[in-house]
Every structure is written in C-alpha cells, then in structure tokens.
Amino acid sequence: MLPDNLGHLFDVPLRLTPQAPAVFQGDTVLTFADLEARTNRVASALRELGVGAGDRVALMFSNDVKFLEVLFGPMRLGAVAVPLNTRMGDDALRYVVEDAEASVVIASRAMAERAGALVAGARGVKHLIADAPAGDGALAYDELTAAASPELARRRTDPDEVCMQPYTSGSTGKPKGVLLTHGGQIWNADVLRKAILCDPTERALIAVPLFHKNALAGAVKPFLLAGGSLVILPGFDAREVIRAIERYRVTYLTGVPAMYTMILAETELLARHDVGSLRYAVCGSAEVPEELLEEFRRVFKAPIAESYGLTEGGPVPITNTRWGLKRRGSCGLEIPGSDVRLVDDEGRDVPVGQPGELLTRNPGLAKGYWKLPEVTARKLRDGWLSTGDLLRRDADGFYYFVGRKDDMINVAGENVYPKEVEDVLLRHPNLRDAAVVPVPHGVKGEVPVAFVVEREPGRTSEEEVKRFFLERGAPYAHPRRVMFLDALPLGGTGKLDRNALRARARATPSERP
C-alpha cells in the first residue's frame, strides 16, 4: 500500500521494521522509528509557526541527516519543500528564496551563517530556523524541534497537490521552480524501487548532493520506500567513498560519471579496502563513456547501469533494470507508465537509429513551472514534456543518450555531438576522461575543442590525440585543439561544468582546419 503523501514515504518499513536502521552518517544511526518521530517534530514545529498547506519552506542544507526530516516534515502539513542548491551564488539563492515566496528557511549547521546573511536581505521570509547561531531573530533548530510533538494527525492529501519545488536553470536563464506532485513522485519512487529490486537488505551510499535528483530519485525515495538504508557522506571524496563502502558494507552506489572516474583512479586504496559488499551501481545525470562502465565492472565485480532523468521529467522516465536484458552504452528502456517519443525540429518522429529530442509523458511529470505560464506552455504541450535532450533508439527499444540539444556543434552544416567525439577519444589507452565543447570559427561556424585527462600525465601529445581521432572518427568532427587537465571541472551537482570549459576554450583560439 503506497502512501498518499510523500512525507510519509517510509510508512511500510515504519510499521514492519520500526527499529531497523534507516540512515547512517558518521557514528549517527537513525531507525525508521527515530526518523518518524523527528519528521513529526519538524512538522509540529512548523505548524506552531503558522505553516500550512501551500506554504513554501526553503531548505538550505549541505549533506546532513537532518535534511530528510526537514524535507518530509513540511509535506506532512501540505506545505511545499524547496530544496536549495547551496552551490549557487548568494544572489542566485536569494532570488530563489524570494521567487518561491518562502515564508520559512531552515538551514543546517554548515549553512547557518550563510543563511543568516541571505535571509537578512530576502523579502517575505518570516522565520529562519538554523542548526547553529545565525544572527538575531533566528530560531534554534534543536530547541524548536525538541519542544515540538513527535505525534501528528494524518492529513489527507490529493495526489495532484504539489509536494516539492526544486529549482533548475538548465543551460541559460534564471532558475525555474519545478512543481512536483505527491502522486507523481510516489509513483516514480515505486517504479524505481522495483527496477533496482531494492529490499531491506540494501544499503545505499550517497555522496552526491542530497538536494539533487540523483540522490533523491536514485537512492533516498526508492530506498526509504522499500525499507533499505541510506549512508550519507558530507560530500564527495573518492577516498572516503571507498572507506565508507567497507565500513558500512554498502551494497549500492548512485553517482555521476566524473565521480566513478575518480573512484576508479584510486587503485592503491581500492586494493587495500574490502569493497566486496557492493552489489549494484547506477550512473546518471550525464552521458556515460563505455570504457567507464567496463572498468567499473572489472574493479568492483558488480554491474553498473545507466539511467536517464531530469527534474521535471518524472524524474526518471527511462532506466535499466537491475537484472534482465541490457545494451552496452544504453540508458535503458522506458519504464512502465512512461510514454516516450523522439522527434525532429518539426515535431515528427525520427527513424530508428537517428537522434531526436526526447518527449515524455508520465504520471511523475511536473505540473509546470512556478509563476512561469509561458515557459510551462512551451515545455509542456498536450501532456508531453519537451526535454531538450537528444537520444536515439535502437530497433529493440533501447535508448542512448546523445547530448543536450543546446550542446550540438554545427560544423559547416554537419551535426557533431560531443558524446560521439568523447567516446572515440576515450578509446585511447592513456586517456581517462574527455569532454568536448564548441568554439566559434570564421569558416566552419563552430568547431570542436577537446579537454582530456591522462591516466599517466605527460605521455600523450596533442598531435597524437588528434591523429588518434582522425584514424577512427569523422574528419569534420575532429577536435581542432586538445587541452590537458588534471581533472575535468564539475558543477554544483557533480555534473561536468561545460560552461567553464566553453569559456576556457574560447579564450584560446582554435586553429584553422
């Protein structure tokens, strides 16, 4: 029986195994009964402050076990949780808090001081609740929740009510509030729980930001629904991930390609630690090189599968299942209840094997974008979401991520997809990582530039990399410059920061082909 309110997501394990561990962080262990009482205390405290259905509660948290109770607590009142991307700049965060019309901001210990400065200049915020001193007028988190009741009357919730309003900016423009519903998010969590066959014996490690869909959809929601447990790290550090797998006997990882690349680079530490508990891993949020998938399987003796999702899109309409048929390099099949189309610029379905923009229709789609009716009308048409992502489909229905529509490089009329260039480069035995971005060109319009990370620094030259590609790839797609980095830059959610690479590439003129 599924709950009607996402805030009560872990109802079944609460009733069946209340003393089973739900969350680990450091030496802290919370059972499902502990998490229930703490979540109710948050909800009770917010109710005493006047928070009710439809009110926005902004969450300014680094990775912290308390994030879970402040995420689910407001939902139990019918309020809307607004998880903030704390890696945004202060101006962007202030914009989000004001745009969301948040009446309450709750901040973790690590974010308390910053939240105090933010709220001081933000319109509409009535209360700041912080887990550490945060300036005059701030309420102390522990004092407030300790005085609140651990019991809470159950509120009947309509599936179409908004439960969460994360903000996404895509590649351009101001952040946009995405309106996600209780029914839609519970549906997606239930389907993903079944796809990864999560059960109470599973233990997921979370090193990605808790506010991001990779953590929420990839671990938090399906695992708590199924009665599994979560291990929360304060942030990503490849060495700490390896140690945590051994310490907590982690069975499942969720992450992005750059994270797995850095974990696999720690060969000596991997050899010294027992990581044999790992059973399965999921990689999402960005295109995944085939070489990375193979190396992970070889090192961990565990399968790794790709999935595809976006905040407003379900959030996961396509995924691989834990067992069953898979295709190398594919992000999987459309999940039950999710309809998918691939279309050209005219909205016509593209043939098998050809890239097209992904449209999806499923119960987990966002209702729209907060206070942006024109954007909602443009992106959501007749129940279908236009994702802006390019995928292709094979004859058996498996989908392959090609890239963002905005990232496609038009080289004198030829379409070049960064992932296709990167895949060729990563076949070079001394290249561990690669990213391709466009730069303007007076003759061709745009040309590709590559950034690469070597396995053994200093052993590969720019000319060798270019020659390697030209022997294996289309001549018009070859990278006109190759720049060597110690590591590719990551953005706030752990994904590759292509904007930073574009800026760096444009600062170095490309050669004429």
Side-chain angles (χ1 to χ4, degrees):
M1 185 71 179
L2 297 174
D4 63 356
N5 185 306
L6 187 64
H8 293 282
L9 184 67
F10 47 93
D11 264 358
V12 170
L14 175 67
R15 295 176 184 178
L16 297 180
T17 55
Q19 298 308 315
V23 192
F24 297 83
Q25 184 168 21
D27 294 328
T28 298
V29 183
L30 298 182
T31 66
F32 283 99
D34 294 332
L35 186 58
E36 172 74 2
R38 291 168 67 122
T39 302
N40 277 342
R41 287 184 186 277
V42 169
S44 298
L46 290 173
R47 184 181 55 191
E48 291 300 313
L49 293 175
V51 173
D55 290 335
R56 266 59 181 174
V57 178
L59 315 178
M60 194 168 175
F61 269 70
S62 52
N63 274 21
D64 187 304
V65 65
K66 292 179 179 177
F67 176 83
L68 300 176
E69 59 204 57
V70 301
L71 177 71
F72 295 129
M75 296 178 188
R76 295 186 173 190
L77 302 174
V80 178
V82 182
L84 301 179
N85 179 347
T86 54
R87 298 182 182 180
M88 287 180 174
D90 289 347
D91 289 344
L93 281 178
R94 185 173 293 107
Y95 170 82
V96 169
V97 169
E98 292 182 345
D99 181 74
E101 300 176 9
S103 59
V104 177
V105 174
I106 309 178
S108 67
R109 181 174 300 274
M111 291 289 126
E113 185 175 345
R114 189 180 177 200
L118 177 74
V119 167
R123 298 188 302 272
V125 178
K126 297 176 182 177
H127 303 286
L128 169 61
I129 305 171
D131 200 25
D136 294 341
L139 302 171
Y141 183 91
D142 283 343
E143 292 180 12
L144 193 70
T145 54
S149 173
E151 304 293 334
L152 188 74
R154 193 76 171 237
R155 175 185 179 274
R156 187 183 180 91
T157 305
D158 187 274
D160 203 40
E161 286 185 45
V162 175
C163 62
M164 189 161 40
Q165 188 173 309
Y167 273 72
T168 180
S169 58
S171 57
T172 60
K174 290 185 176 180
K176 299 181 289 292
V178 179
L179 301 174
L180 303 178
T181 66
H182 286 273
Q185 296 306 291
I186 292 168
W187 165 81
N188 203 242
D190 185 45
V191 175
L192 293 178
R193 171 180 66 90
K194 295 169 182 174
I196 61 177
L197 292 178
C198 180
D199 63 40
T201 70
E202 300 283 357
R203 187 163 293 174
L205 178 66
I206 300 175
V208 292
L210 275 167
F211 57 73
H212 189 251
K213 68 175 174 59
N214 191 293
L216 290 172
V220 171
K221 289 185 283 187
F223 271 69
L224 291 183
L225 179 64
S229 54
L230 307 173
V231 177
I232 298 174
L233 294 185
F236 176 74
D237 179 293
R239 299 173 70 83
E240 291 304 316
V241 168
I242 294 167
R243 294 185 182 105
I245 293 173
E246 180 179 63
R247 176 181 178 183
Y248 298 101
R249 309 310 297 154
V250 168
T251 66
Y252 171 91
L253 294 178
T254 180
V256 299
M259 292 170 53
Y260 290 123
T261 298
M262 287 185 271
I263 291 169
L264 291 168
E266 297 289 343
T267 53
E268 292 185 9
L269 198 66
L270 284 165
R272 296 202 308 268
H273 286 270
D274 178 6
V275 294
S277 61
L278 197 69
R279 302 173 185 169
Y280 187 56
V282 169
C283 193
S285 298
E287 56 268 35
V288 186
E290 292 183 12
E291 288 72 14
L292 173 61
L293 300 175
E294 286 301 317
E295 187 176 2
F296 186 92
R297 293 188 190 101
R298 178 179 59 80
V299 171
F300 283 98
K301 308 295 189 295
I304 179 172
E306 296 177 69
S307 67
Y308 167 85
L310 69 164
T311 303
E312 53 267 66
V316 179
I318 295 171
T319 192
N320 279 290
T321 56
R322 184 165 181 171
W323 283 283
L325 293 176
K326 297 180 180 64
R327 291 287 167 83
R328 180 172 176 172
S330 168
C331 49
L333 301 163
E334 53 200 85
I335 64 175
S338 175
D339 296 322
V340 171
R341 294 176 60 202
L342 300 181
V343 301
D344 61 19
D345 290 340
E346 304 302 320
R348 298 169 300 202
D349 292 305
V350 299
V352 167
Q354 295 297 311
E357 182 184 3
L358 174 72
L359 309 184
T360 183
R361 177 177 63 185
N362 64 68
L365 287 190
K367 289 183 70 173
Y369 298 89
W370 174 248
K371 298 191 296 188
L372 293 172
E374 293 181 359
V375 176
T376 299
R378 185 174 71 250
K379 296 277 285 181
L380 287 158
R381 298 189 297 272
D382 300 323
W384 291 86
L385 172 72
S386 299
T387 66
D389 287 327
L390 295 170
L391 284 81
R392 60 181 175 85
R393 177 174 46 210
D394 68 19
D396 295 319
F398 286 85
Y399 289 86
Y400 301 79
F401 186 83
V402 175
R404 286 287 301 169
K405 197 173 179 181
D406 294 341
D407 290 336
M408 188 184 73
I409 306 169
N410 188 322
V411 182
E414 298 283 358
N415 293 338
V416 176
Y417 301 101
K419 184 178 187 298
E420 294 179 342
V421 181
E422 293 159 5
D423 284 346
V424 174
L425 294 175
L426 287 170
R427 288 157 58 187
H428 190 289
N430 196 41
L431 296 186
R432 175 176 290 280
D433 216 347
V436 172
V437 297
V439 294
H441 190 274
V443 176
K444 302 290 186 180
E446 294 180 313
V447 292
V449 167
F451 292 85
V452 298
V453 178
E454 295 178 276
R455 295 178 186 275
E456 296 184 36
R459 287 193 56 194
T460 315
S461 70
E462 179 177 6
E463 290 307 314
E464 179 186 345
V465 174
K466 290 181 182 179
R467 186 171 59 252
F468 181 88
F469 182 91
L470 285 167
E471 290 171 354
R472 294 163 177 80
Y476 61 81
H478 86 273
R480 283 15 180 222
R481 284 193 62 79
V482 178
M483 304 185 200
F484 295 86
L485 300 177
D486 293 333
L488 296 180
L490 304 183
T493 57
K495 292 192 287 187
L496 177 68
D497 189 346
R498 289 192 184 270
N499 287 333
L501 292 180
R502 287 190 191 98
R504 182 162 180 170
R506 292 181 183 219
T508 307
S510 181
E511 70 174 25
R512 292 174 64 92

